[in-house]
Amino acid sequence: MSANPSPNPATTGRGANVQLPTDQELVLKVIPMPGDCNANGDIFGGWVMAQVDLAGAVVPARYVKGRMVTVAVNEFVFKQPVRVGDILSFFAKLTRIGRTSITVKIEVFAERFGSLNEYAKVTEASLTYVAIDEHGKPREVPQKLI
Ligand SMILES: CC(=O)SCCNC(=O)CCNC(=O)[C@H](O)C(C)(C)COP(=O)(O)OP(=O)(O)OC[C@H]1O[C@@H](n2cnc3c(N)ncnc32)[C@H](O)[C@@H]1OP(=O)(O)O
């Protein structure tokens, strides 16, 4: 065991520095503002969820080409707090195309205010979207981009 172990990037918060994914698409960048904070001064989880819902819809929208709704948040993990001034990058990857639904994995990375170009993964989630017709009923989605 080392006498001076390196700090664990998973627990040091601001010091974490991970590589951005290369197999996912950057679908959104946004900077949270003071009005998005909870009582602790961290960014409200519901605000992050709303951004993830928007970001996750980008890839399915190319298939659906019309109305769709979010049917399920299959998984949502807040790995680290988000703070005012962080630059958030949302990456998305299609994980499943069903008959009427599309499931997407979303990962969110923060460049901390004052530590730009270093990334910490702050959130990961999986959401499912359903294509709907004019009556709000599920409709089939193409299995490939056309
Ligand atoms: C901006 C916003 O939209 S905010 C989010 C608010 N969301 C909504 O208002 C949606 C409200 N829900 C609905 O309108 C309906 O439940 C619908 C249209 C999404 C689905 O209608 P249903 O009659 O339940 O359809 P059905 O049972 O056929 O399921 C449709 C698809 O959703 C999938 N699905 C349904 N429930 C779930 C679930 N809990 N988790 C994952 N997928 C699900 C089904 O597997 C199916 O996918 P597939 O065809 O690819 O296999």
Side-chain angles (χ1 to χ4, degrees):
M1 178 190 274
S2 162
N4 293 305
S6 304
N8 179 354
T11 57
T12 50
R14 295 185 72 84
N17 186 17
V18 297
Q19 299 293 313
L20 293 179
T22 55
D23 61 341
Q24 302 180 30
E25 181 179 346
L26 177 64
V27 288
L28 177 69
K29 274 190 181 259
V30 66
I31 301 175
M33 291 290 132
D36 305 317
C37 284
N38 63 20
N40 301 325
D42 293 323
I43 297 302
F44 182 50
W47 180 88
V48 177
M49 294 184 88
Q51 307 307 310
V52 166
D53 193 18
L54 289 170
V58 170
V59 173
R62 297 203 185 99
Y63 289 79
V64 170
K65 295 189 172 73
R67 293 179 67 188
M68 65 179 179
V69 288
T70 311
V71 69
V73 176
N74 310 302
E75 180 188 12
F76 209 107
V77 183
F78 298 103
K79 297 174 80 70
Q80 291 190 30
V82 173
R83 304 187 184 93
V84 169
D86 292 350
I87 300 176
L88 301 182
S89 299
F90 295 68
F91 285 81
K93 182 182 184 179
L94 194 153
T95 55
R96 178 181 177 273
I97 303 181
R99 195 178 72 83
T100 66
S101 70
I102 295 181
T103 300
V104 181
K105 175 184 176 185
I106 301 105
E107 294 184 330
V108 188
F109 297 84
E111 283 172 88
R112 300 302 192 186
F113 187 72
S115 298
L116 300 187
N117 295 317
E118 290 185 11
Y119 296 90
K121 189 196 282 191
V122 292
T123 295
E124 57 189 31
S126 167
L127 276 69
T128 300
Y129 301 83
V130 175
I132 55 168
D133 63 18
E134 65 273 24
H135 305 295
K137 299 296 180 196
R139 63 180 170 86
E140 288 190 30
V141 292
Q143 299 296 302
K144 291 182 184 170
L145 278 180
I146 46 174

